[in-house]
Amino acid sequence: MHGPVSPAWLLVALCAATGAYCLLRMRSGVEEQRRAAGGEALMGFGMAAMAVPAAAFAPPRWVWPVYAAVFGLAALRALWSARRSPHHLHHLLGSAAMVYMAVLMAASPVSHHHTGGSGPAPVTGALLLYFTGYVLLTGARLVPAVVQGGPGGPRWGDRPELSRVCRLSMGIGMLAMLLTM
């Protein structure tokens, strides 16, 4: 990823922590939540690895096609799962964005990915618009969330407000990564 080193490390930490929490969510008693958490953990850890500053570690060129293949498979899985739940369409777009960024990184790992100096590529712009809307909508839905506390409250993997925070964090991370493209 291109850009300043300190924010990139913060993004790595945010995405890795989100991926770790998603792994905890995989212990949920609800199968659909476990399935979604697995895809989100893959996304969190993939984003963390992709966000490592190039100044700290420049991966070999073969890494980017592997990223594209892994997230291409994740996109196909999300497309298949979208038949049951429209929430998986967001997973599809997130995986497609990861494929897009991996392809850009494979094509030119050291230069910025703008088209002729006239601004971001149209695909980048469309993804920026989508994830900006997603972050704003998810943040707005999170504000009125009331935590039902107490000893009999839901387990950490089953708390819907924490799931939203997880998705919000990844949406913000995706925006940050797309802005550096």
Side-chain angles (χ1 to χ4, degrees):
M1 214 177 101
H2 310 295
V5 175
S6 294
W9 283 118
L10 290 172
L11 183 59
V12 169
L14 174 73
C15 293
T18 301
Y21 174 69
C22 289
L23 285 179
L24 286 176
R25 285 181 40 224
M26 289 181 69
R27 296 175 37 195
S28 170
V30 180
E31 183 180 346
E32 181 61 29
Q33 287 180 8
R34 283 193 310 265
R35 204 175 295 135
E40 290 168 359
L42 172 69
M43 182 68 70
F45 289 126
M47 288 172 61
M50 190 179 275
V52 171
F57 175 71
R61 291 188 66 79
W62 61 264
V63 167
W64 303 118
V66 171
Y67 263 83
V70 166
F71 284 101
L73 289 173
L76 289 175
R77 184 173 183 271
L79 181 62
W80 183 256
S81 297
R83 296 174 307 126
R84 290 186 307 269
S85 170
H87 169 71
H88 292 285
L89 291 174
H90 171 70
H91 290 172
L92 173 64
L93 281 170
S95 295
M98 292 294 282
V99 170
Y100 172 69
M101 288 187 288
V103 167
L104 287 180
M105 295 301 282
S108 179
V110 294
S111 66
H112 289 280
H113 304 286
H114 294 280
T115 56
S118 63
V123 174
T124 304
L127 288 170
L128 282 168
L129 283 174
Y130 171 76
F131 282 103
T132 299
Y134 180 80
V135 164
L136 292 173
L137 183 63
T138 303
R141 287 182 180 163
L142 189 60
V143 171
V146 176
V147 178
Q148 303 282 331
R155 297 181 331 174
W156 281 100
D158 294 329
R159 297 184 63 171
E161 71 279 1
L162 292 178
S163 298
R164 287 187 200 122
V165 168
C166 176
R167 292 180 189 120
L168 179 64
S169 298
M170 284 193 290
I172 292 169
M174 189 66 76
L175 275 174
M177 291 173 71
L178 287 166
L179 285 171
T180 63
M181 289 283 129

